[in-house]
Amino acid sequence: MFILGIESSCDDTSAAVSMNTSILSNVVSSQLVHKKYGGVVPELASRAHEKNIIPVVEQALKQANVNIKDIDGIAFTKGPGLLGSLLVGTSFAKAVGLALNKPLLDVHHMKAHIQAHFIDEKEKKKPAFPFLCLTVSGGHTQIVIVKDYMEMEVIGNTIDDAAGEAFDKAAKIMGLEYPGGPLVDKYAANGDAEKFKFAKPKIKDYNFSFSGLKTSFLYFVQKKIKENPNFIREEMPHLCASIQKTIVDILIEKIKKASQDFGIKQIAIAGGVSANSALRTALKTLEKEEDFDVYIPDFQYCTDNAAMICISGYYLFLNDKFASQDITCSARI
Ligand code: KG4
Ligand code: ZN
């Protein structure tokens, strides 16, 4: 079965083609226009999606060597995300579906991040059910029990900022461009993670909170700048390594607790922050220390991509869960 996947929920325009659970192409056009604003500007994002969507889809079909007439279904991100951005992908998918009489498959973006684990990857084992997934992106931080390809239960959530937001906001405080997460990761590679200590929040159960950490990081940096105006420049690697370690420790503590309480040792990560090298290393350590089976997607399937939308669409198709031409996108679902 050939699926054309379209992802436009935030600031990446992406199209992919899959054949069953194999990915034939996965084209991502990341919007650079937001860099200087310190965050995604929704209106600029929608305009960039409009400009990118046709060339990105054309390239995905070309790379896959598949004719659009041979596509069996069109999967697109229904939400959650930025409404203007979602509208571009949804309208495009509906138009193609109508013109070529192809079925539509509406995909939940966060579920798709998890379903990226079902993509065929060379020499990579897929998680068996049930498994726990730590879903960490710019908008979400969740612990999910994945019971089946389609059945998932969210057991923990952030009560304020997401983990990716914590990375991005800390980066912004240090004067780094958006998205700051990858830059913090990069600078942290040469830093001492123990140099600066930041208090961790005390939140019940499997929930998270990151806004207090952001505030204490801001106050700490402001205080230090008063003492030494070059503080950020001189301490950048240590600041990055220390804030990264604090965020990763918070995430790891909760996933360990969930694993113990539910007796599930199969642990997966998903979403943009799963590209973080400290988080990956911490999980690899748990694999040895706690006898966990850890599943980490390939880099290209961690951040926003349409390959995961294809896979989600594939399972919707198998379960006869088609969308009609009346479908609308939703910022929150
Ligand atoms: O899943 P994603 O691409 O988009 C959303 O659905 O939000 O996640 C984007 C988030 C951003 O906050 C970005 O800074 C973060 O993932 N991110 C990282 C890394 N790569 C991306 N955070 C820390 N370390 C990274 N290497
Ligand atoms: Zn995402």
Side-chain angles (χ1 to χ4, degrees):
M1 186 194 303
F2 291 110
I3 304 281
L4 169 67
I6 292 163
E7 156 63 30
S8 72
S9 65
C10 191
D11 58 341
D12 293 305
T13 318
S14 181
V17 177
S18 62
M19 188 181 69
N20 300 334
T21 48
S22 297
I23 300 302
L24 304 181
S25 65
N26 181 36
V27 178
V28 183
S29 169
S30 298
Q31 305 175 0
L32 304 177
V33 62
H34 310 287
K35 268 183 188 285
K36 58 177 182 242
Y37 297 100
V40 177
V41 184
E43 179 60 25
L44 295 179
S46 332
R47 290 182 198 194
H49 283 306
E50 279 221 279
K51 219 162 83 186
N52 295 340
I53 189 106
I54 291 175
V56 164
V57 169
E58 276 180 342
Q59 213 182 324
L61 288 163
K62 198 169 155 205
Q63 273 182 22
N65 201 15
V66 171
N67 189 303
I68 197 156
K69 294 204 172 74
D70 296 325
I71 292 287
D72 296 294
I74 300 161
F76 64 94
T77 306
K78 173 189 160 78
L82 299 170
L83 195 62
S85 292
L86 291 165
L87 264 170
V88 178
T90 304
S91 312
F92 183 86
K94 284 168 73 173
V96 177
L98 190 62
L100 300 178
N101 197 23
K102 305 280 184 193
L104 295 172
L105 304 148
D106 60 314
V107 170
H108 187 292
H109 181 85
M110 294 312 294
K111 269 191 169 178
H113 267 302
I114 297 173
Q115 288 161 328
H117 284 279
F118 309 136
I119 293 173
D120 292 340
E121 285 188 68
K122 255 195 207 135
E123 288 161 25
K124 239 185 195 174
K125 226 173 63 185
K126 295 181 188 178
F129 304 113
F131 65 91
L132 286 174
C133 191
L134 175 67
T135 312
V136 271
S137 72
H140 294 80
T141 303
Q142 298 181 326
I143 296 182
V144 181
I145 303 179
V146 185
K147 300 175 179 176
D148 194 4
Y149 293 104
M150 306 278 284
E151 204 194 333
M152 303 175 191
E153 187 191 344
V154 179
I155 57 164
N157 240 316
T158 179
I159 58 166
D160 42 54
D161 290 353
E165 240 176 315
F167 272 106
D168 295 338
K169 286 181 176 172
K172 196 174 175 185
I173 292 167
M174 293 183 280
L176 299 175
E177 282 180 339
Y178 178 86
L183 293 172
V184 172
D185 194 353
K186 191 179 117 192
Y187 285 112
N190 301 314
D192 173 6
E194 304 292 340
K195 180 148 188 190
F196 304 113
K197 300 273 180 223
F198 302 103
K200 290 183 207 124
K202 290 187 175 54
I203 307 293
K204 271 173 56 178
D205 304 326
Y206 315 107
N207 292 329
F208 300 91
S209 165
F210 289 100
S211 73
L213 177 62
K214 173 204 68 191
T215 311
S216 70
F217 185 72
L218 174 68
Y219 290 164
F220 172 77
V221 170
Q222 282 175 342
K223 185 172 145 256
K224 290 289 185 184
I225 288 176
K226 272 191 195 138
E227 295 163 13
N228 170 13
N230 292 327
F231 175 72
I232 293 181
R233 203 158 44 86
E234 287 169 10
E235 301 290 342
M236 180 73 93
H238 308 309
L239 276 170
C240 288
S242 302
I243 191 74
Q244 175 171 275
K245 182 179 188 305
T246 314
I247 296 170
V248 169
D249 283 353
I250 294 169
L251 295 172
I252 293 289
E253 206 172 285
K254 291 289 171 144
I255 196 79
K256 259 169 91 172
K257 178 175 162 53
S259 165
Q260 276 157 8
D261 294 355
F262 288 90
I264 301 174
K265 289 197 165 231
Q266 297 226 81
I267 312 290
I269 47 169
V273 180
S274 56
N276 183 264
S277 50
L279 180 59
R280 288 172 169 244
T281 307
L283 284 165
K284 287 276 170 205
T285 308
L286 285 185
E287 203 160 29
K288 291 191 200 107
E289 286 175 359
E290 306 274 335
D291 202 21
F292 281 4
D293 278 329
V294 172
Y295 299 88
I296 305 176
D298 196 51
F299 266 112
Q300 60 167 327
Y301 305 135
C302 288
T303 44
D304 287 348
N305 68 88
M308 67 185 196
I309 306 302
C310 286
I311 296 301
S312 193
Y314 172 73
Y315 287 106
L316 286 169
F317 198 118
L318 291 186
N319 285 278
D320 287 328
K321 293 202 181 308
F322 299 103
S324 76
Q325 275 288 337
D326 297 334
I327 188 115
T328 52
C329 49
S330 332
R332 288 170 179 274
I333 37 174

